[in-house]
Amino acid sequence: MPEFAELLKGYRRFRQDTYPRQRARFEETVSQGQHPKLMIIGCSDSRVDPAVIFDVDPGEIFVVRNVAALVPPFETTPGQHGVSAAVEFAVQMLEVRQILVMGHGRCGGCQAALRRDFVDSDPGKGGFVAGWIKLLDEAREPVARKHGLTGRKAELAMEFAAIRQSLANLRTFPWVAEKEQDCALKLRGAHFSIKEGVLYSLDEETGEFLPED
């Protein structure tokens, strides 16, 4: 397959150029383990790789990615809680100091949540996507009422709302809320504009997303 062949080309560049430069860092993470101080919850979108955007070295960030960078609320019902497991591991075992929820522009998951795409679809035809982005049902209502269901203004408002919803859901995890209250953990929201290549950070006092220099 040509796609995998292209990956191998990148791997060979990594082995020739990047790995020799970073070898000491890789060996350190093997001998001493990983000790990232920051967790990033990002979208699976191929255009928004956190390691590329923030230009970080191996071992510096603990990353979980999924459709629309969503965090479900805390719950203990039976099931496969992948994001919750990652949050638990990052906060309780790795003891990260900050969690960044990073959404992005032109997010297909947020667009689907806004327009209610795939509702009532079968698994394999959008059903799994619909079940996941249902997490945004409550957040979409004020966006839809104010901005409608289409257009960049509505999409951007939905992307911002999704970030705020994930931050709110993070605060339903008891150990997250406790550590935030004790100032042992900081929660942050950000939005990466693919078109501009600019990161916007959420000012939780004003609720505005402001560009970083």
Side-chain angles (χ1 to χ4, degrees), residues 109-126:
C110 287
Q111 291 176 19
L114 180 61
R115 299 190 301 249
R116 292 185 182 254
D117 293 343
F118 309 122
V119 171
D120 298 325
S121 296
D122 292 329
K125 297 183 178 180

PDB file of all heavy atoms in Angstrom, residues 109-126:
ATOM      1  N   GLY A 109     -16.365  16.813  13.666  1.00  0.00           N
ATOM      2  CA  GLY A 109     -17.187  16.303  14.754  1.00  0.00           C
ATOM      3  C   GLY A 109     -18.131  17.354  15.299  1.00  0.00           C
ATOM      4  O   GLY A 109     -19.300  17.073  15.583  1.00  0.00           O
ATOM      5  N   CYS A 110     -17.626  18.577  15.448  1.00  0.00           N
ATOM      6  CA  CYS A 110     -18.477  19.670  15.944  1.00  0.00           C
ATOM      7  C   CYS A 110     -19.541  20.043  14.918  1.00  0.00           C
ATOM      8  O   CYS A 110     -20.690  20.345  15.277  1.00  0.00           O
ATOM      9  CB  CYS A 110     -17.618  20.880  16.293  1.00  0.00           C
ATOM     10  SG  CYS A 110     -16.633  20.671  17.797  1.00  0.00           S
ATOM     11  N   GLN A 111     -19.176  20.019  13.637  1.00  0.00           N
ATOM     12  CA  GLN A 111     -20.167  20.292  12.598  1.00  0.00           C
ATOM     13  C   GLN A 111     -21.273  19.239  12.619  1.00  0.00           C
ATOM     14  O   GLN A 111     -22.456  19.562  12.496  1.00  0.00           O
ATOM     15  CB  GLN A 111     -19.490  20.311  11.234  1.00  0.00           C
ATOM     16  CG  GLN A 111     -18.562  21.497  11.003  1.00  0.00           C
ATOM     17  CD  GLN A 111     -17.838  21.404   9.676  1.00  0.00           C
ATOM     18  OE1 GLN A 111     -18.252  20.681   8.767  1.00  0.00           O
ATOM     19  NE2 GLN A 111     -16.736  22.125   9.555  1.00  0.00           N
ATOM     20  N   ALA A 112     -20.887  17.984  12.785  1.00  0.00           N
ATOM     21  CA  ALA A 112     -21.876  16.907  12.830  1.00  0.00           C
ATOM     22  C   ALA A 112     -22.777  17.038  14.056  1.00  0.00           C
ATOM     23  O   ALA A 112     -23.986  16.778  13.985  1.00  0.00           O
ATOM     24  CB  ALA A 112     -21.167  15.554  12.840  1.00  0.00           C
ATOM     25  N   ALA A 113     -22.204  17.456  15.182  1.00  0.00           N
ATOM     26  CA  ALA A 113     -23.007  17.652  16.387  1.00  0.00           C
ATOM     27  C   ALA A 113     -24.005  18.788  16.192  1.00  0.00           C
ATOM     28  O   ALA A 113     -25.167  18.696  16.616  1.00  0.00           O
ATOM     29  CB  ALA A 113     -22.094  17.953  17.576  1.00  0.00           C
ATOM     30  N   LEU A 114     -23.571  19.853  15.554  1.00  0.00           N
ATOM     31  CA  LEU A 114     -24.433  21.012  15.326  1.00  0.00           C
ATOM     32  C   LEU A 114     -25.594  20.663  14.403  1.00  0.00           C
ATOM     33  O   LEU A 114     -26.738  21.027  14.654  1.00  0.00           O
ATOM     34  CB  LEU A 114     -23.608  22.162  14.748  1.00  0.00           C
ATOM     35  CG  LEU A 114     -24.341  23.463  14.449  1.00  0.00           C
ATOM     36  CD1 LEU A 114     -24.940  24.057  15.714  1.00  0.00           C
ATOM     37  CD2 LEU A 114     -23.389  24.465  13.783  1.00  0.00           C
ATOM     38  N   ARG A 115     -25.288  19.947  13.331  1.00  0.00           N
ATOM     39  CA  ARG A 115     -26.310  19.620  12.336  1.00  0.00           C
ATOM     40  C   ARG A 115     -27.053  18.318  12.649  1.00  0.00           C
ATOM     41  O   ARG A 115     -27.982  17.954  11.945  1.00  0.00           O
ATOM     42  CB  ARG A 115     -25.656  19.500  10.958  1.00  0.00           C
ATOM     43  CG  ARG A 115     -24.992  20.758  10.461  1.00  0.00           C
ATOM     44  CD  ARG A 115     -24.601  20.615   8.996  1.00  0.00           C
ATOM     45  NE  ARG A 115     -23.695  19.487   8.796  1.00  0.00           N
ATOM     46  CZ  ARG A 115     -22.410  19.596   8.463  1.00  0.00           C
ATOM     47  NH1 ARG A 115     -21.890  20.804   8.312  1.00  0.00           N
ATOM     48  NH2 ARG A 115     -21.663  18.532   8.283  1.00  0.00           N
ATOM     49  N   ARG A 116     -26.605  17.635  13.689  1.00  0.00           N
ATOM     50  CA  ARG A 116     -27.157  16.329  14.068  1.00  0.00           C
ATOM     51  C   ARG A 116     -27.012  15.308  12.945  1.00  0.00           C
ATOM     52  O   ARG A 116     -27.929  14.527  12.660  1.00  0.00           O
ATOM     53  CB  ARG A 116     -28.623  16.448  14.501  1.00  0.00           C
ATOM     54  CG  ARG A 116     -28.786  17.203  15.815  1.00  0.00           C
ATOM     55  CD  ARG A 116     -30.218  17.198  16.286  1.00  0.00           C
ATOM     56  NE  ARG A 116     -30.364  17.950  17.513  1.00  0.00           N
ATOM     57  CZ  ARG A 116     -30.545  17.419  18.710  1.00  0.00           C
ATOM     58  NH1 ARG A 116     -30.594  16.104  18.837  1.00  0.00           N
ATOM     59  NH2 ARG A 116     -30.673  18.166  19.790  1.00  0.00           N
ATOM     60  N   ASP A 117     -25.871  15.340  12.306  1.00  0.00           N
ATOM     61  CA  ASP A 117     -25.575  14.328  11.300  1.00  0.00           C
ATOM     62  C   ASP A 117     -25.508  12.950  11.952  1.00  0.00           C
ATOM     63  O   ASP A 117     -25.142  12.829  13.113  1.00  0.00           O
ATOM     64  CB  ASP A 117     -24.226  14.619  10.635  1.00  0.00           C
ATOM     65  CG  ASP A 117     -24.245  15.880   9.796  1.00  0.00           C
ATOM     66  OD1 ASP A 117     -25.349  16.349   9.462  1.00  0.00           O
ATOM     67  OD2 ASP A 117     -23.157  16.388   9.476  1.00  0.00           O
ATOM     68  N   PHE A 118     -25.850  11.955  11.202  1.00  0.00           N
ATOM     69  CA  PHE A 118     -25.731  10.549  11.596  1.00  0.00           C
ATOM     70  C   PHE A 118     -26.717  10.100  12.678  1.00  0.00           C
ATOM     71  O   PHE A 118     -26.638   8.963  13.137  1.00  0.00           O
ATOM     72  CB  PHE A 118     -24.302  10.222  12.069  1.00  0.00           C
ATOM     73  CG  PHE A 118     -23.231  10.652  11.121  1.00  0.00           C
ATOM     74  CD1 PHE A 118     -22.228  11.531  11.521  1.00  0.00           C
ATOM     75  CD2 PHE A 118     -23.220  10.188   9.808  1.00  0.00           C
ATOM     76  CE1 PHE A 118     -21.237  11.928  10.647  1.00  0.00           C
ATOM     77  CE2 PHE A 118     -22.219  10.581   8.922  1.00  0.00           C
ATOM     78  CZ  PHE A 118     -21.235  11.452   9.345  1.00  0.00           C
ATOM     79  N   VAL A 119     -27.619  10.969  13.102  1.00  0.00           N
ATOM     80  CA  VAL A 119     -28.611  10.553  14.096  1.00  0.00           C
ATOM     81  C   VAL A 119     -29.420   9.382  13.541  1.00  0.00           C
ATOM     82  O   VAL A 119     -29.858   9.396  12.387  1.00  0.00           O
ATOM     83  CB  VAL A 119     -29.545  11.723  14.474  1.00  0.00           C
ATOM     84  CG1 VAL A 119     -30.707  11.237  15.333  1.00  0.00           C
ATOM     85  CG2 VAL A 119     -28.755  12.789  15.216  1.00  0.00           C
ATOM     86  N   ASP A 120     -29.592   8.366  14.352  1.00  0.00           N
ATOM     87  CA  ASP A 120     -30.330   7.144  13.993  1.00  0.00           C
ATOM     88  C   ASP A 120     -29.601   6.292  12.948  1.00  0.00           C
ATOM     89  O   ASP A 120     -30.198   5.367  12.382  1.00  0.00           O
ATOM     90  CB  ASP A 120     -31.749   7.464  13.483  1.00  0.00           C
ATOM     91  CG  ASP A 120     -32.596   8.152  14.545  1.00  0.00           C
ATOM     92  OD1 ASP A 120     -32.430   7.822  15.732  1.00  0.00           O
ATOM     93  OD2 ASP A 120     -33.413   9.012  14.179  1.00  0.00           O
ATOM     94  N   SER A 121     -28.335   6.603  12.690  1.00  0.00           N
ATOM     95  CA  SER A 121     -27.563   5.780  11.763  1.00  0.00           C
ATOM     96  C   SER A 121     -27.077   4.506  12.459  1.00  0.00           C
ATOM     97  O   SER A 121     -26.888   4.472  13.677  1.00  0.00           O
ATOM     98  CB  SER A 121     -26.341   6.555  11.244  1.00  0.00           C
ATOM     99  OG  SER A 121     -26.747   7.670  10.486  1.00  0.00           O
ATOM    100  N   ASP A 122     -26.873   3.480  11.683  1.00  0.00           N
ATOM    101  CA  ASP A 122     -26.361   2.220  12.213  1.00  0.00           C
ATOM    102  C   ASP A 122     -24.852   2.318  12.415  1.00  0.00           C
ATOM    103  O   ASP A 122     -24.175   3.103  11.753  1.00  0.00           O
ATOM    104  CB  ASP A 122     -26.654   1.075  11.239  1.00  0.00           C
ATOM    105  CG  ASP A 122     -28.136   0.766  11.121  1.00  0.00           C
ATOM    106  OD1 ASP A 122     -28.861   0.967  12.128  1.00  0.00           O
ATOM    107  OD2 ASP A 122     -28.562   0.339  10.028  1.00  0.00           O
ATOM    108  N   PRO A 123     -24.295   1.510  13.330  1.00  0.00           N
ATOM    109  CA  PRO A 123     -22.844   1.435  13.457  1.00  0.00           C
ATOM    110  C   PRO A 123     -22.212   1.072  12.114  1.00  0.00           C
ATOM    111  O   PRO A 123     -22.700   0.200  11.406  1.00  0.00           O
ATOM    112  CB  PRO A 123     -22.639   0.313  14.486  1.00  0.00           C
ATOM    113  CG  PRO A 123     -23.888   0.338  15.309  1.00  0.00           C
ATOM    114  CD  PRO A 123     -24.986   0.672  14.328  1.00  0.00           C
ATOM    115  N   GLY A 124     -21.161   1.774  11.784  1.00  0.00           N
ATOM    116  CA  GLY A 124     -20.525   1.583  10.484  1.00  0.00           C
ATOM    117  C   GLY A 124     -21.008   2.578   9.457  1.00  0.00           C
ATOM    118  O   GLY A 124     -20.395   2.744   8.404  1.00  0.00           O
ATOM    119  N   LYS A 125     -22.118   3.244   9.758  1.00  0.00           N
ATOM    120  CA  LYS A 125     -22.669   4.259   8.865  1.00  0.00           C
ATOM    121  C   LYS A 125     -22.815   5.602   9.585  1.00  0.00           C
ATOM    122  O   LYS A 125     -23.604   6.448   9.161  1.00  0.00           O
ATOM    123  CB  LYS A 125     -24.013   3.799   8.302  1.00  0.00           C
ATOM    124  CG  LYS A 125     -23.907   2.543   7.437  1.00  0.00           C
ATOM    125  CD  LYS A 125     -25.242   2.154   6.841  1.00  0.00           C
ATOM    126  CE  LYS A 125     -25.099   0.924   5.949  1.00  0.00           C
ATOM    127  NZ  LYS A 125     -26.392   0.509   5.346  1.00  0.00           N
ATOM    128  N   GLY A 126     -22.081   5.752  10.664  1.00  0.00           N
ATOM    129  CA  GLY A 126     -22.130   6.986  11.442  1.00  0.00           C
ATOM    130  C   GLY A 126     -22.719   6.816  12.814  1.00  0.00           C
ATOM    131  O   GLY A 126     -22.754   7.769  13.599  1.00  0.00           O
TER     132      GLY A 126
END
